[in-house]
Amino acid sequence: MNIFFFKAVLIFYLAGTLIFLLYLLRQKPFISKIATTFLFSGFVFHTISLTLRYFEAGYIPITNLHEAPSFLAWAIVCLYLIVQFKYKIDVLGSFISPLALILIVISAAFSKEIGPLPSILKSTWLPIHVILAFVGNAIFALAFCAGVMYLIQEYQIKSKRIGSLYYRLPSLKLLDDINHYCLTIGFPLLTLAMISGSIWARFAWGSFWNWDAKEVWTLLTWVFYAVLLHGRINMGWRGKRAAVFAIIGFFAVMFSFLGINTMCSGLHSYER
Amino acid sequence: MDIIVVGLNHKTAPIEMRERLHFPSDAIEEPLKKVTDLSYISEGLILSTCNRVEVIAVTKDPEKGINEVKDFLSFYHNVSKQQLDSCLYSYESYDAVRHIFKVASSLDSMIVGEPQILGQLKDAYSMANKYKTSGLIMHKFFHKAFSVGKKVRTESMIATSAVSISFAAVELAKKIFDDLKDKVVMLIGSGEMSELAARHLMNNGVKEILIANRTHSKAVKLADEFVGRPIVFEDLALFLDQVDIVISSTSSPHYTIGYDDVVRSLKIRKYKPIFLIDIAVPRDIDPRINNIDNVYLYDIDDIQGVVDANIKARREEAKKAERIIEREVDQFDRWLKSLSVVPTIISLKESLEDIRKKEVERTISGLNGNSQLDRELLDNLTSSIINKILHSPLTQLKRQENTRRRDYYIDAIRNLFNLK
């Protein structure tokens, strides 16, 4: 049953994304409304799909390459809907929906079988560690989108080339604020995810730190975001530089999320 | 009854001609009365702005009505007909309705989308009401025109972007800062355009305006006007770290703000963005400043470029607006066509005849006996009742044929009897 809803999610996110891309070309308010409706319906199906899968498997569905990207996509769309509801930045959907779509397509490419949970993962730390990490990742995804939007808008204003997006993209201040908020929420979440992970590792593997590839890469990402946070708070970093940092930071996040597991084997490898 | 428009605008007539044909609003009663006194005109309205003069009227014969209005304009303003004919345009019925809807939507304006025209149209309409030169058709027509104007404004984005230098500057500031509430503005020098921009910024609620002028007394005077704070011209660079928006327009041949000034103050203000607007020619602000991160410098040509882009965007929106207008013109035209005596009488009679027949059938089916005889009796009786009842209203209606009240009668009949 969860697979049926998953397919619906795929179709609705695809439709939502295509309509949102159309919105970039033809900027009529009703187009973004339709797109948001599709995305929202997709999100409802997604929630159903994940819930069903949770009950079918008996554990939180984030342990393999089908489940993890799907869960992250869900978190990102959830975050988008909250932000959209509060700030009404229609055009944000055009940037964030392709991201959710890519994740859901990756998820679809992997086996959807529900396997038994490996004994090493049977722990109350699993949901704590993973949910902290995923929500953090979703927030960094939002910062990434705001960063891309900032760079486009900044380019238009700075170079005085007023394109059609100038009218629809929000102000530089708002985009920079989103970047800032995301960092101040995402960074503590990332930190907590790492702390909870190392406590769990102490119990499961016997040591707080195991020099696992994912651990190392995540530490690098953490340092990177720490530098950005320090720069923002103490050195007046803002605007373009902060936007570029948020974009690079998100690539690092995505690499540790998906890339590192497929390239090197280690303790964090997803189940196949 | 038909609607006609005779007039000229900025596209068809030079300013000298528009000036000569102008009707000052404080002396509009006489021309309004003269227009409606013309033999073919039953209702009239005069719209006179700096870009257009139009007589909008209701007539029973468009061709003759238009000629009469043209003669009136030529006579009233003492302009020869040949001279006038080269500038005047005229529209009748469908085209006249479309034209006025376009005017109301600001599609026919010099600056497409400018908002004043709707207000001017409303003023013209209220003048016609005040001097009682408007009737049912004008009322319906103008209320429709106002709602079309509003609809176009809300459904297309025709009026969302700034098309003047000073507004474009404010809009850019909003795209950079979002909210201007806690922002500080520095006004350097004086000049119509820069003061206008400062005024728009003030209307958007900026916190403070600092004013610098080479002649300090001028700064003090301007500061009085803007409720701002005068600062010493030679020290203005020292204030840059407090300022978010700078508007400069001095006649100085040198830069009043240099590269290093901005770099230094930016550091003090922790790289919070600065938006500089240089309206002066030759320029007041070192153009290299635009290369600094979080600093945005626009000179007069740059802002003109934004204005041009906005105007282009408005033209695209205008196409959308025309589609909205086409729909509305159709609707209004149908209503206007329904307002004639003969078709109204026909459909009224048909409607009553329908009722009569249905009731006769019902009664017959309830009676036994000689139905053929009954039917003849009933038909005669009911038909004569209807004719008797209709006699007086129809004679009244025909008697009103050539008066302005006629339209009210027809409209009332159509509404009361629910005629399509």
Side-chain angles (χ1 to χ4, degrees):
Chain A
M1 224 18 213
N2 77 76
I3 307 294
F4 167 78
F5 281 106
F6 180 80
K7 281 177 185 156
V9 173
L10 199 59
I11 290 164
F12 275 84
Y13 282 3
L14 177 67
T17 305
L18 289 178
I19 299 169
F20 260 130
L21 292 179
L22 177 73
Y23 178 66
L24 281 183
L25 300 174
R26 307 207 149 270
Q27 306 187 331
K28 293 181 185 161
F30 75 92
I31 297 183
S32 78
K33 268 192 198 116
I34 296 172
T36 307
T37 311
F38 268 99
L39 218 55
F40 181 75
S41 318
F43 174 75
V44 171
F45 291 132
H46 207 163
T47 311
I48 297 171
S49 167
L50 291 174
T51 314
L52 288 174
R53 196 173 175 97
Y54 172 76
F55 285 113
E56 281 167 44
Y59 56 85
I60 185 162
I62 32 181
T63 59
N64 62 30
L65 276 171
H66 165 65
E67 292 170 348
S70 163
F71 194 82
L72 182 58
W74 178 84
I76 287 173
V77 175
C78 180
L79 190 64
Y80 161 72
L81 290 171
I82 293 170
V83 172
Q84 172 62 15
F85 185 72
K86 231 183 139 185
Y87 296 100
K88 309 250 179 299
I89 312 170
D90 286 357
V91 76
L92 180 62
S94 304
F95 291 83
I96 228 165
S97 61
L99 211 58
L101 181 68
I102 290 169
L103 285 166
I104 212 81
V105 167
I106 293 172
S107 158
F110 289 92
S111 161
K112 300 171 192 66
E113 299 276 304
I114 297 178
L117 188 64
S119 56
I120 189 111
L121 292 180
K122 278 183 191 146
S123 162
T124 43
W125 287 101
L126 173 69
I128 297 172
H129 172 60
V130 176
I131 285 175
L132 284 170
F134 276 49
V135 175
N137 285 354
I139 287 170
F140 287 136
L142 179 62
F144 163 80
C145 290
V148 173
M149 286 158 79
Y150 185 96
L151 290 187
I152 294 173
Q153 185 72 312
E154 208 262 357
Y155 171 77
Q156 295 192 92
I157 294 176
K158 194 94 179 176
S159 67
K160 290 129 193 181
R161 293 198 184 120
I162 301 301
S164 62
L165 270 177
Y166 165 78
Y167 303 103
R168 282 307 169 88
L169 283 172
S171 65
L172 294 177
K173 164 86 163 54
L174 182 61
L175 291 169
D176 194 45
D177 281 351
I178 293 177
N179 189 318
H180 184 69
Y181 291 141
C182 287
L183 188 65
T184 50
I185 302 167
F187 185 74
L189 284 171
L190 178 64
T191 311
L192 288 173
M194 286 169 72
I195 292 171
S196 64
S198 70
I199 297 172
W200 182 17
R202 174 72 183 81
F203 291 122
W205 302 324
S207 160
F208 287 112
W209 186 257
N210 299 283
W211 293 104
D212 167 65
K214 193 162 197 156
E215 285 179 2
V216 176
W217 189 261
T218 306
L219 184 66
L220 288 176
T221 310
W222 184 87
V223 170
F224 186 83
Y225 278 117
V227 169
L228 174 57
L229 193 61
H230 171 72
R232 280 208 85 116
I233 293 172
N234 299 318
M235 290 152 71
W237 288 12
R238 60 174 77 235
K240 197 169 160 186
R241 184 188 305 214
V244 171
F245 258 76
I247 291 167
I248 298 172
F250 182 65
F251 278 114
V253 165
M254 282 329 273
F255 183 67
S256 80
F257 179 66
L258 291 173
I260 207 129
N261 295 100
T262 41
M263 285 166 70
C264 345
S265 60
L267 299 167
H268 271 91
S269 297
Y270 293 112
E271 295 301 313
R272 304 244 173 191
Chain B
M1 281 290 148
D2 255 317
I3 291 177
I4 55 168
V5 175
V6 179
L8 46 75
N9 65 16
H10 55 96
K11 286 178 220 157
T12 65
I15 178 114
E16 296 78 24
M17 195 52 141
R18 297 194 316 258
E19 272 167 3
R20 282 188 74 176
L21 288 217
H22 183 66
F23 292 95
S25 62
D26 46 2
I28 199 81
E29 180 176 7
E30 190 205 348
L32 269 177
K33 289 263 159 72
K34 283 202 165 141
V35 167
T36 36
D37 282 346
L38 298 171
S39 53
Y40 285 95
I41 306 294
S42 54
E43 302 176 38
L45 188 151
I46 296 174
L47 171 69
S48 182
T49 74
C50 49
N51 283 329
R52 67 179 67 242
V53 174
E54 298 193 348
V55 175
I56 303 137
V58 175
T59 174
K60 55 191 170 190
D61 186 326
E63 200 182 320
K64 287 177 180 147
I66 286 171
N67 274 330
E68 270 189 343
V69 172
K70 281 186 179 171
D71 289 342
F72 158 76
L73 285 174
S74 148
F75 178 76
Y76 191 87
H77 290 293
N78 199 13
V79 183
S80 80
K81 268 204 98 176
Q82 290 99 310
Q83 236 183 321
L84 208 54
D85 268 338
S86 62
C87 306
L88 281 183
Y89 48 77
S90 60
Y91 299 104
E92 56 178 84
S93 46
Y94 203 87
D95 296 328
V97 174
R98 184 195 293 118
H99 174 75
I100 294 301
F101 284 2
K102 276 170 101 166
V103 170
S105 316
S106 188
L107 288 183
D108 200 47
S109 302
M110 186 135 84
I111 296 164
V112 170
E114 59 92 10
Q116 282 99 326
I117 185 68
L118 194 59
Q120 290 162 336
L121 207 57
K122 279 181 179 164
D123 290 343
Y125 170 67
S126 66
M127 281 297 161
N129 272 347
K130 187 171 164 196
Y131 299 117
K132 303 200 169 49
T133 61
S134 56
L136 173 80
I137 294 183
M138 279 292 167
H139 292 321
K140 274 244 180 184
F141 182 41
F142 274 87
H143 283 284
K144 192 78 200 173
F146 300 148
S147 84
V148 170
K150 252 188 232 152
K151 197 168 179 181
V152 164
R153 199 153 286 268
T154 49
E155 287 185 16
S156 77
M157 300 204 313
I158 189 161
T160 49
S161 51
V163 287
S164 69
I165 298 270
S166 49
F167 267 121
V170 174
E171 213 177 66
L172 272 163
K174 283 187 180 164
K175 279 290 181 196
I176 295 169
F177 298 112
D178 208 64
D179 194 353
L180 303 182
K181 286 244 154 50
D182 54 347
K183 298 293 172 275
V184 178
V185 178
M186 183 189 278
L187 184 60
I188 307 171
S190 56
E192 196 184 341
M193 224 185 298
S194 59
E195 282 167 40
L196 202 57
R199 206 168 292 281
H200 288 319
L201 287 169
M202 244 171 54
N203 292 341
N204 277 282
V206 294
K207 195 170 83 183
E208 194 180 13
I209 299 194
L210 307 183
I211 294 165
N213 200 302
R214 201 175 287 280
T215 318
H216 192 69
S217 59
K218 274 193 193 164
V220 174
K221 197 170 146 258
L222 262 181
D224 252 13
E225 206 176 308
F226 282 104
V227 204
R229 177 151 63 99
I231 56 172
V232 178
F233 187 84
E234 286 69 28
D235 292 345
L236 69 88
L238 298 176
F239 289 90
L240 274 178
D241 57 283
Q242 305 169 24
V243 173
D244 306 285
I245 301 167
V246 177
I247 305 168
S248 189
S249 73
T250 72
S251 47
S252 156
H254 310 292
Y255 293 143
T256 51
I257 296 179
Y259 189 86
D260 296 333
D261 295 332
V262 174
V263 170
R264 185 164 27 84
S265 40
L266 201 62
K267 210 170 180 180
I268 302 171
R269 56 190 272 114
K270 284 200 160 181
Y271 304 97
K272 276 194 291 181
I274 306 182
F275 177 35
L276 304 110
I277 304 152
D278 185 354
I279 302 183
V281 178
R283 285 179 287 187
D284 277 349
I285 304 174
D286 189 342
R288 288 177 304 152
I289 285 173
N290 193 50
N291 300 333
I292 308 170
D293 260 358
N294 296 317
V295 177
Y296 305 93
L297 169 62
Y298 274 67
D299 63 30
I300 185 87
D301 285 358
D302 298 332
I303 297 197
Q304 188 58 49
V306 175
V307 169
D308 292 344
N310 289 352
I311 289 175
K312 210 175 128 222
R314 279 192 181 198
R315 292 219 182 93
E316 296 291 312
E317 287 301 311
K319 286 180 200 147
K320 207 181 291 174
E322 303 224 347
R323 284 197 289 277
I324 299 175
I325 288 177
E326 266 338 288
R327 274 202 306 273
E328 300 287 340
V329 174
D330 263 346
Q331 224 182 18
F332 185 78
D333 194 57
R334 240 176 290 140
W335 176 79
L336 193 60
K337 289 224 169 77
S338 76
L339 282 190
S340 37
V341 174
V342 181
T344 307
I345 293 179
I346 292 173
S347 48
L348 177 61
K349 280 186 166 166
E350 276 171 0
S351 154
L352 295 184
E353 183 68 12
D354 268 357
I355 299 172
R356 190 189 68 78
K357 274 188 183 147
K358 262 182 212 143
E359 293 305 311
V360 167
E361 281 312 312
R362 238 180 47 186
T363 317
I364 294 270
S365 63
L367 287 175
N368 298 321
N370 191 342
S371 62
Q372 190 52 45
L373 200 65
D374 289 344
R375 182 185 293 274
E376 253 171 53
L377 260 166
L378 279 174
D379 272 344
N380 285 339
L381 172 69
T382 48
S383 297
S384 91
I385 290 178
I386 285 185
N387 286 337
K388 286 266 153 63
I389 292 177
L390 275 183
H391 176 73
S392 161
L394 291 189
T395 351
Q396 274 296 336
L397 188 61
K398 279 174 193 155
R399 204 174 289 155
Q400 303 295 339
E401 172 81 60
N402 293 321
T403 71
R404 208 191 285 164
R405 292 221 302 276
R406 187 202 73 141
D407 304 324
Y408 289 99
Y409 277 82
I410 296 176
D411 197 45
I413 289 173
R414 286 194 168 267
N415 280 324
L416 288 174
F417 290 93
N418 199 16
L419 304 179
K420 300 242 162 51

